[in-house]
Amino acid sequence: MVIFKHTADLRSWLSEDRTRGGKLGFVPTMGALHPGHISLVEEARKVCDLVACSIFVNPTQFNNPSDLEKYPVTIESDIGMLTRAGTDVLFLPGVADIYPGGTSSLPHYDLGFLETVLEGKYRPGHFQGVCQVVHLLLDAVRPDLLFMGQKDYQQCMVIARLIELKQLPVKLVVMPTLREADGLAMSSRNMRLGPADRALAPRIHRVLSGIKERLRPGSLLELQNWGVSELEADGFRVDYVSISDARTLEPLETWDGSRPLVALVAAFLGEVRLIDNLVLTGE
Ligand code: AMP
């Protein structure tokens, strides 16, 4: 695996048609890698001729400074995992490389309704930061395929919108959420959970599965309230439990029995904020 720290070096290496006319796959990450990240690399390895990853903890997408400060960094283990998974090139830029002009006058993206609900509502500015960094990374790497995880359901929709807005020549591939044996969605933030909170964390998935089992046409409010009270009873501080239209993320209060649905949760255990989701209907 070749590692580049500067955009210009990465660009000049990639400009030599490393794929020999084939496909370049890209997996952007913030590091502290786990098997969920690696599943994206493995899929890229299967369907692409060259696989690029990036590790960059993007300051502009953290609305909470202490979350940024405490974001886990495990670079040596990350490099080992990426190498074993067959990554060809790792981009490891610093903040000055990604944002040479600073971060105060970055572009604004019109994300419309998507930015007003769920993560958009609870983490103001977060998706602007995500778009800023992904747009710059896509411009540096220029992949054919971009691999992202359904774990960040709304983020995948935001990136689809970015691709459409900017007419970027890349195809988004969304991969399923990898979970621990007890159902907890793998996440870099899980490393920050103490043993007691780690034991509670799988309850999020249990609540999502409970919502799926109990889902019936009609009012959805009781079901969402049930989810909130289950989590609160377990000591979570809940930002939201939402049953939303799977295509638009519009939070729904009633269901006609046919609209595609996704349930999404964001909740804190102590200082650690966890998110997860489950598609409730069809694919
Ligand atoms: P992050 O490093 O958290 O920014 O994540 C980098 C990419 O990995 C994003 O596209 C995530 O959606 C994806 N990802 C994170 N956790 C998982 C998981 N448990 N399963 C599959 N993909 C994941």
Side-chain angles (χ1 to χ4, degrees):
M1 184 171 74
V2 213
I3 302 180
F4 293 104
K5 293 195 165 179
H6 302 292
T7 312
D9 299 334
L10 173 76
R11 284 273 2 114
S12 111
W13 189 83
L14 284 171
S15 68
E16 291 190 22
D17 189 21
R18 302 281 167 181
T19 64
R20 294 188 187 82
K23 292 209 180 311
L24 170 59
F26 179 42
V27 181
T29 80
M30 297 205 297
L33 300 183
H34 51 67
H37 294 113
I38 297 306
S39 70
L40 307 186
V41 176
E42 285 169 349
E43 181 63 15
R45 185 71 283 162
K46 264 190 231 157
V47 300
C48 295
D49 303 275
L50 195 77
V51 177
C53 283
S54 63
I55 296 179
F56 178 64
V57 183
N58 173 38
T60 73
Q61 73 187 68
F62 284 83
N63 51 317
N64 173 354
S66 110
D67 191 26
L68 170 60
E69 238 166 67
K70 294 189 177 152
Y71 202 83
V73 176
T74 59
I75 192 67
E76 279 177 23
S77 136
D78 293 352
I79 290 174
M81 287 171 81
L82 291 176
T83 308
R84 286 192 293 279
T87 309
D88 297 294
V89 50
L90 170 61
F91 185 35
L92 204 55
V95 174
D97 251 284
I98 296 294
Y99 302 118
T103 56
S104 54
S105 54
L106 293 169
H108 183 271
Y109 297 84
D110 177 14
L111 301 175
F113 176 74
L114 258 186
E115 206 177 5
T116 65
V117 289
L118 307 169
E119 293 302 279
K121 176 172 162 192
Y122 283 89
R123 300 187 67 189
H126 168 64
F127 287 131
Q128 289 300 319
V130 168
C131 285
Q132 286 153 0
V133 74
V134 172
H135 197 183
L136 289 165
L137 288 170
L138 288 175
D139 191 49
V141 178
R142 298 180 201 170
D144 301 289
L145 297 176
L146 170 65
F147 295 84
M148 302 193 101
Q150 190 198 311
K151 157 83 169 43
D152 298 283
Y153 192 98
Q154 193 171 6
Q155 172 171 276
C156 290
M157 292 182 68
V158 162
I159 295 306
R161 168 119 179 133
L162 167 73
I163 290 170
E164 188 192 300
L165 270 178
K166 300 294 166 188
Q167 294 287 295
L168 303 175
V170 63
K171 180 172 177 269
L172 176 63
V173 180
V174 177
M175 296 299 295
T177 303
L178 232 71
R179 299 180 179 280
E180 303 287 356
D182 58 13
L184 174 64
M186 292 184 182
S187 164
S188 307
R189 288 186 173 85
N190 295 350
M191 290 179 197
R192 292 181 52 205
L193 297 169
D197 284 344
R198 173 62 189 80
L200 285 173
R203 308 260 171 112
I204 293 181
H205 180 58
R206 214 187 293 167
V207 161
L208 287 167
S209 305
I211 289 176
K212 187 166 183 169
E213 279 159 25
R214 291 167 171 80
L215 181 69
R216 302 281 179 278
S219 171
L220 298 172
L221 290 177
E222 294 75 15
L223 203 46
Q224 295 177 71
N225 292 339
W226 170 81
V228 173
S229 53
E230 286 288 298
L231 290 172
E232 285 180 349
D234 284 333
F236 288 83
R237 189 155 51 83
V238 177
D239 270 354
Y240 58 80
V241 172
S242 179
I243 302 177
S244 296
D245 183 303
R247 285 184 285 222
T248 62
L249 285 190
E250 180 195 344
L252 300 177
E253 294 188 355
T254 56
W255 185 46
D256 60 5
S258 69
R259 215 162 161 178
L261 299 180
V262 59
L264 307 104
V265 169
F268 285 87
L269 275 173
E271 278 192 347
V272 183
R273 188 172 183 277
L274 300 171
I275 61 169
D276 198 357
N277 63 79
L278 194 64
V279 173
L280 303 179
T281 53
E283 285 308 295

